[in-house]
Amino acid sequence: MLSSVSRKLILIAAMAVVFGLFAASLIDLASLYNDATKDYFFEHGFEETGSNNLVTGILLDYRLFDSLFEAGILLVAVSGVIWVSKHDFADKNPNFMIDKYKTPDLFISFARLVYPLLLAFGLYIILNGHLSPGGGFQGGALAATAILILYFIDKNKETDIKRIVTIEKVLYLAIILVALLSLFTRSTAFTNFVAPAAGRQWQVVYLVTLNVLIGLKVAFGLWTIFTAFLKEGR
Amino acid sequence: MDPLLTFIVILVGFYGLATSNNIIKSVFCITIIESGIILLFLNLGNFEGGTIPIIGEDVVAIVDPLPQALMITTIVIGSTVTALALMLCIKLFHHYGSIEWSKIFGKGDAS
């Protein structure tokens, strides 16, 4: 049995070897990474997706298949959190971990001020995802944070976790259906159902629709996760 | 040079994962590894003088939008995996009365 110091020395030596391998791989960086995709997106991205923000264009058009599974992993993780937490859904009046008498009054007052601003900012990020930095995932996380603040304001707030998860599943199905619409209009799945020839104002309809659906789904998913944590802390 | 620095962040995470005895510390070491990977990917598309990848007037040089789009996936998946891992920590604490690897595996060697 080695002592703990010598074990740590062996670990550091092994990590130095891994670091050396990584540094050696960087010598041939040009074969690992080049600017070809960047130039393509810069020249054709705006015409093909109708999105000023190229990241949103990639997420919702070129790589929509990835984004679908990203949202799916969020759904699976939410299901896992609920399944692991042994909360009884019949319990209608849970005592939340946040105790109003231990939360400072100053925090509650400022939370009342910040809550509507944060919710409005989340909606702004979602709706302007194709014009400015942001999109469905980021705006959904902001809106979920605003809902978390709501628990600090009102201690007796009750959440029907089962209904939220049902809404989230319906939203996920709606995202898949909107993504599959292009199968009927352009005969290729998982892209914009409006052809680029129709003009940018119609392409934006698709982008905003999908951003809103993804944003609502992410917000409901994160809401479910932290409600499960609050109920676990009883 | 920058990719090497981000790789050091990843290795710091691995070192903590191998040596920490507390489960919550292990979860946060996974988060540190994730941060290192995000920095590594964002470094690849970045260059001096590049602007954000939003098409507008007089935009001449943008950074690569593809690694940024991939890293949104990483951030979302990372946050959910962290939430699941912390929920499992709570369950382990309720079952074993401890969140230390050495006590859960029944070994006295708390190094």
Side-chain angles (χ1 to χ4, degrees), chain B residues 3-59:
Chain B
L4 291 180
L5 291 177
T6 55
F7 200 70
I8 289 174
V9 176
I10 297 174
L11 286 180
V12 166
F14 271 111
Y15 180 81
L17 201 57
T19 56
S20 64
N21 193 26
N22 195 320
I23 294 180
I24 291 180
K25 281 183 188 170
S26 298
V27 172
F28 280 101
C29 287
I30 295 173
T31 315
I32 290 171
I33 294 172
E34 248 170 46
S35 311
I37 290 169
I38 290 167
L39 285 173
L40 178 63
F41 269 75
L42 292 186
N43 250 319
L44 281 179
N46 194 17
F47 60 92
E48 194 86 18
T51 56
I52 51 174
I54 293 177
I55 300 288
E57 292 174 6
D58 55 68
V59 173

Side-chain angles (χ1 to χ4, degrees), chain A residues 4 7-8 11-12 15 18-19 22-23 26 33 37-38 41-42 52-55 58-59 63 70 73-74 77 80-81 84-86 131-133 137-138 225 229 232, chain B residues 3-4 7-8 11 15 18-19 40 44-45 47 53-55 59-60 62-66 68-70 72-73 76-77 80 83-84 86-88 90-91 94 109 111:
Chain A
S4 88
R7 269 189 292 174
K8 280 179 184 171
L11 180 64
I12 290 172
M15 286 193 331
V18 173
F19 184 76
F22 180 76
L26 281 182
Y33 173 78
T37 56
K38 186 185 81 176
F41 290 139
F42 186 54
N52 285 71
N53 187 350
L54 287 179
V55 177
I58 291 169
L59 273 180
R63 292 190 159 260
E70 182 182 355
I73 282 175
L74 183 57
V81 166
V84 170
S85 74
K86 193 181 50 182
L131 294 174
S132 59
F137 290 105
Q138 299 91 323
I225 285 179
F229 269 97
E232 192 64 31
Chain B
L4 291 180
F7 200 70
I8 289 174
L11 286 180
Y15 180 81
T19 56
L40 178 63
L44 281 179
F47 60 92
I54 293 177
I55 300 288
V59 173
V60 285
I62 57 168
V63 298
D64 198 345
L66 186 60
Q68 302 193 4
L70 293 177
I72 288 179
T73 313
V76 172
I77 290 172
T80 53
L84 194 55
L86 287 175
M87 185 55 89
L88 285 171
I90 295 174
K91 285 294 144 189
H94 283 325
D109 184 17
S111 60

Side-chain angles (χ1 to χ4, degrees), chain A residues 53-211:
Chain A
N53 187 350
L54 287 179
V55 177
T56 304
I58 291 169
L59 273 180
L60 298 186
D61 203 321
Y62 293 118
R63 292 190 159 260
L64 183 59
F65 198 58
D66 282 2
S67 305
L68 284 181
F69 280 97
E70 182 182 355
I73 282 175
L74 183 57
L75 189 62
V76 170
V78 167
S79 311
V81 166
I82 294 170
W83 185 62
V84 170
S85 74
K86 193 181 50 182
H87 182 254
D88 185 9
F89 289 123
D91 187 2
K92 289 298 268 184
N93 192 13
N95 294 313
F96 285 109
M97 192 165 61
I98 297 167
D99 187 357
K100 194 184 179 187
Y101 300 105
K102 287 175 189 167
T103 313
D105 284 339
L106 187 67
F107 185 83
I108 294 173
S109 306
F110 270 104
R112 286 201 175 110
L113 278 176
V114 165
Y115 165 68
L117 292 175
L118 203 52
L119 203 56
F121 186 57
L123 287 176
Y124 167 80
I125 294 272
I126 291 174
L127 288 175
N128 271 330
H130 58 290
L131 294 174
S132 59
F137 290 105
Q138 299 91 323
L142 264 172
T145 317
I147 298 167
L148 177 61
I149 286 177
L150 203 61
Y151 281 121
F152 282 99
I153 298 172
D154 189 1
K155 178 195 166 192
N156 297 317
K157 200 78 190 168
E158 283 181 23
T159 305
D160 191 356
I161 204 169
K162 215 169 180 176
R163 183 182 294 167
I164 299 175
V165 176
T166 310
I167 294 172
E168 198 193 344
K169 286 172 190 163
V170 171
L171 282 172
Y172 185 56
L173 279 179
I175 291 169
I176 293 179
L177 284 179
V178 171
L180 281 176
L181 271 182
S182 62
L183 198 60
F184 305 108
T185 57
R186 289 176 67 184
S187 69
T188 45
F190 305 123
T191 181
N192 196 336
F193 63 79
V194 181
R200 180 163 180 265
Q201 67 268 32
W202 295 107
Q203 285 179 302
V204 166
V205 171
Y206 161 81
L207 293 171
V208 170
T209 308
L210 210 54
N211 258 338

